[in-house]
Amino acid sequence: SQKIEQNSEALNIQEGKTATLTCNYTNYSPAYLQWYRQDPGRGPVFLLLIRENEKEKRKERLKVTFDTTLKQSLFHITASQPADSATYLCALVNAGNNRKLIWGLGTSLAVNP
Amino acid sequence: GAGVSQSPSNKVTEKGKDVELRCDPISGHTALYWYRQSLGQGLEFLIYFQGNSAPDKSGLPSDRFSAERTGGSVSTLTIQRTQQEDSAVYLCASSLGAAGYYQETQYFGPGTRLLVL
């Protein structure tokens, strides 16, 4: 069956450390993968997109990697801050069905001061 | 320059009643999506509009759910004869819908929190 999985357990880290969130998928061939941030009571906000032929993408303190062999994307926040506390969602578009994003359940991140 | 707006922000209704949820996408965005998000669940795709093309209704959970998009802009999601399991946050998103849109990002509204008693 097709699955997209993120760590269900909340991640708690200390301010200044690097947070690493995981997104694994099964039986998909993603054309690209996106990461979004969602705060309580709000809709998701786009952060980064990485294509199937890209290994890594960076934006300020954020870094995304994409390993199609491992079928995994990692999302890193360096020098984390309490304001980074939120739920982070990964979403992919399967090749051949490029209109529909398939979403993970998200991982909750708490950055402690 | 406003973002995606949705109304109402909260809706409480009784089982069996009909409800209408509204979405105003970003001006110029031709693609519009409706999702449902329940507690502890991921985003569930409901319906997708792209320009003048026939909408992709493949995510609508039952025939009690319908959506319209008038004039290529505002969209209304209607739930008839609401059931308690319809309680969720209903999110609307829009995107440019331009050529090569498969790389597009989606811009979300704040959602409508629906509670069916």
Side-chain angles (χ1 to χ4, degrees):
Chain A
S1 63
Q2 294 177 314
K3 291 188 294 186
I4 178 169
E5 295 178 305
Q6 298 184 249
N7 290 351
S8 57
E9 290 186 15
L11 180 63
N12 284 273
I13 64 168
Q14 208 60 32
E15 182 176 7
K17 301 290 186 185
T18 295
T20 298
L21 307 175
T22 305
C23 178
N24 295 302
Y25 58 90
T26 306
N27 292 327
Y28 285 113
S29 298
Y32 65 91
L33 193 145
Q34 299 184 0
W35 284 87
Y36 287 74
R37 168 186 174 141
Q38 187 172 22
D39 291 281
R42 307 244 179 161
V45 175
F46 170 76
L47 296 174
L48 280 169
L49 177 154
I50 187 164
R51 300 180 183 85
E52 58 180 331
N53 59 350
E54 296 177 320
K55 296 288 188 189
E56 181 179 298
K57 185 73 74 76
R58 291 177 184 262
K59 178 183 175 183
E60 297 172 352
R61 295 184 296 111
L62 309 180
K63 183 178 83 171
V64 172
T65 62
F66 194 6
D67 189 326
T68 54
T69 301
L70 293 178
K71 300 187 186 301
Q72 179 182 79
S73 175
L74 298 178
F75 177 80
H76 306 272
I77 307 174
T78 58
S80 60
Q81 305 166 0
D84 296 327
S85 300
T87 295
Y88 291 86
L89 303 166
C90 69
L92 61 84
V93 165
N94 208 24
N97 188 5
N98 58 13
R99 293 178 299 175
K100 201 175 296 183
L101 280 173
I102 300 157
W103 295 82
L105 295 183
T107 298
S108 175
L109 171 67
V111 180
N112 304 308
Chain B
V4 177
S5 61
Q6 292 186 245
S7 61
S9 54
N10 292 281
K11 177 73 177 178
V12 181
T13 190
E14 294 179 348
K15 178 182 171 180
K17 301 281 190 185
D18 297 352
V19 295
E20 280 191 355
L21 313 180
R22 177 186 167 104
C23 173
D24 281 89
I26 293 172
S27 177
H29 280 193
T30 62
L32 187 147
Y33 308 77
W34 282 98
Y35 293 92
R36 179 168 69 176
Q37 189 174 34
S38 305
L39 194 62
Q41 301 295 315
L43 282 165
E44 178 187 1
F45 167 80
L46 297 178
I47 189 169
Y48 162 75
F49 296 89
Q50 170 56 55
N52 296 321
S53 303
D56 177 351
K57 304 180 181 180
S58 60
L60 293 178
S62 78
D63 58 9
R64 296 186 296 105
F65 288 72
S66 63
E68 290 184 341
R69 189 176 185 193
T70 54
S73 182
V74 171
S75 177
T76 302
L77 177 69
T78 301
I79 309 174
Q80 295 179 310
R81 305 181 302 281
T82 52
Q83 303 294 312
Q84 289 179 331
E85 61 262 27
D86 299 334
S87 297
V89 176
Y90 289 82
L91 289 160
C92 173
S94 70
S95 65
L96 275 173
Y101 62 82
Y102 69 92
Q103 294 185 8
E104 286 191 330
T105 60
Q106 296 181 13
Y107 297 84
F108 283 81
T112 293
R113 283 144 197 82
L114 174 66
L115 177 62
V116 182
L117 300 176

